[in-house]
Amino acid sequence: MKLRMRKPIVWLWIVGGGLLALAALWHLTHRLRELDAPVSPLSYAEIEAVFDGSRDLTRAQEQEFLDGIPGKKVRWTGVVDEVSEENVVFVDLDGMLYDVRFPLPRAEAVRLNRGQEITFVGLIDQVEEYFWSCRVVLRDVTIEH
């Protein structure tokens, strides 16, 4: 009887392992497609215009626009405002307060100076409302030299 019970358990392990492998493969190919995507022409000013009301959009149109932003690859230039102890870089794009933040590996983060102009490429993770404006959180960022 023990032999008969082991076969279904073995098959469950094999099928479960196969499903996990397929999910991991799908995730990896999805990430590679994101990273290889072309840079979008989307600017921070276009995103900010939705929050400051300068675009004449309905709420439904605003939501449709905002829902399409995560995952877009952008190349922007700004000035380093701060780098936190956790290696999060805060960048000002429009001369006011910081507009964008993103984590970097420590070795890269410590090389950045406050007031330094940088160009960076990354994927938009989320857009957060901030008073009459917004702040963009990026991931998978590289600094262009």
Side-chain angles (χ1 to χ4, degrees), residues 99-114:
D99 305 297
V100 179
R101 74 176 184 270
F102 51 85
L104 280 181
R106 183 149 187 86
E108 291 180 55
V110 297
R111 284 187 258 153
L112 298 176
N113 298 309
R114 188 178 286 134

Side-chain angles (χ1 to χ4, degrees), residues 25-35 139:
L25 182 61
W26 178 88
H27 179 73
L28 179 62
T29 57
H30 177 74
R31 292 278 296 139
L32 290 174
R33 271 190 308 239
E34 274 186 331
L35 295 173
R139 60 184 165 86

Side-chain angles (χ1 to χ4, degrees), residues 2 13-14 16 23 26 38 45 47 65 79 87 110 114 127 133 145:
K2 287 184 180 181
W13 275 97
I14 291 171
W26 178 88
I47 299 171
F65 176 78
V79 176
N87 308 313
V110 297
R114 188 178 286 134
V127 178
S133 186
H145 299 283

